[in-house]
Amino acid sequence: MSGSILVAYATRYGSTQEVAETMAATLRERGFEVDLQPAQDVKTLAGYQAIILGAPIFMSRWHKDARHFLTRHSIALATLPVAIFALGPTHADEKEFQEARQQLDTELAQFSWLTAYAVEIFGGKFDPAKFNIPYTLLPVLKNIPASDVRDWDAIRAWTSKLPAKLLWAPAYTGEVPSD
Ligand SMILES: Cc1cc2nc3c(=O)[nH]c(=O)nc-3n(C[C@H](O)[C@H](O)[C@H](O)COP(=O)(O)O)c2cc1C
C-alpha cells in the first residue's frame, strides 16, 4: 500500500539520494507514513497525500528525471501539495546559493501549472573521484577539491516543517508556517 507522503528523488552521484533518505527518516520519526523512490521509478501518485521531489542541478539544469517526473505526473500534481528541493552549491557561499536558486526557479517556471508549497536549495557534494563521462572529459573539474556542504540540520529542520505546510496534519506539533 502506498504511504501518505512520497519522497521522490533523482541523483547522479548519490548525494541527493542520501538527503532524500534523511528526509524520509525525519518524517517517519514523526509518525508519518513515507514512501521513498527514485523519481523515474514512480508509476502513479494514487494514494499519496503529498509529494516531496528533489534532484541535483548540473550545468544549470535540474536533473532530467525530476523534470520528466513533473511532466509525467502533471495531472495528479496539479491537485496535490508539492514541495521541491535541489542540491547544487558546493561551497557555503551565499552567492552560489542565490545562483542555484535562480537556476531552479528558471527550471520550475517551465511548469506554469505547478504551485509548490515549499522550494529549497541545499548545499551539495562534489567528488571528482566519482566522475564518469561526460565530466571526466573536462580536466578543469578534476582540479577542483572535493567538498560536502550538505547541512543536515537545515535539511532536517526544513523537512520537519513540511507536514504542516503540505498536510496541516493534526499529529504535527511543530510551528505553523507563516508563508
Ligand atoms: C559537472 C558538474 C556540474 C555542476 N553544475 C552545477 C550547477 O550548474 N549549479 C549548481 O548549483 N550545482 C552544480 N553542480 C553541483 C551538484 O549539483 C552537486 O554536486 C550535487 O550534490 C550532486 O548531486 P548527486 O550526488 O545527487 O548527483 C555541479 C556538479 C558537477 C559535478
Side-chain angles (χ1 to χ4, degrees):
M1 198 178 98
S2 294
S4 62
I5 301 175
L6 171 67
V7 180
Y9 64 90
T11 189
R12 187 173 187 127
Y13 298 112
S15 64
T16 311
Q17 179 177 346
E18 289 169 356
V19 169
E21 287 167 356
T22 294
M23 289 179 174
T26 301
L27 293 168
R28 286 178 185 137
E29 280 162 17
R30 283 158 179 73
F32 294 98
E33 205 179 321
V34 180
D35 276 356
L36 174 69
Q37 287 194 56
Q40 65 176 355
D41 292 352
V42 178
K43 301 282 182 277
T44 175
L45 300 187
Y48 294 116
Q49 293 171 18
I51 311 296
I52 302 170
L53 174 65
I57 300 170
F58 288 104
M59 306 297 192
S60 304
R61 300 301 314 270
W62 205 30
H63 195 296
K64 67 174 170 38
D65 289 357
R67 290 183 274 125
H68 291 174
F69 180 94
L70 291 181
T71 302
R72 208 166 55 247
H73 299 292
S74 58
I75 292 173
L77 289 170
T79 57
L80 276 170
V82 183
I84 299 279
F85 70 93
L87 262 68
T90 51
H91 304 89
D93 172 43
E94 185 58 34
K95 192 160 168 279
E96 261 192 54
F97 275 75
Q98 285 169 3
E99 284 170 4
R101 179 60 195 246
Q102 279 169 7
Q103 291 166 346
L104 178 60
D105 285 348
T106 300
E107 294 286 72
L108 294 179
Q110 294 166 36
F111 304 92
S112 53
W113 49 266
L114 178 71
T115 306
Y117 285 45
V119 179
E120 191 63 61
I121 296 289
F122 294 112
K125 182 178 177 183
F126 185 86
D127 185 359
K130 276 191 167 184
F131 281 179
N132 43 26
I133 285 179
Y135 303 132
T136 43
L137 303 175
L138 301 171
V140 68
L141 287 176
K142 288 200 161 174
N143 297 326
I144 301 175
S147 64
D148 186 352
V149 293
R150 289 173 294 174
D151 181 339
W152 297 105
D153 287 344
I155 289 162
R156 280 187 277 265
W158 185 77
T159 307
S160 298
K161 289 180 181 169
L162 289 182
K165 292 189 181 195
L166 299 176
L167 302 172
W168 295 97
Y172 182 75
T173 54
E175 64 183 86
V176 172
S178 55
D179 54 340

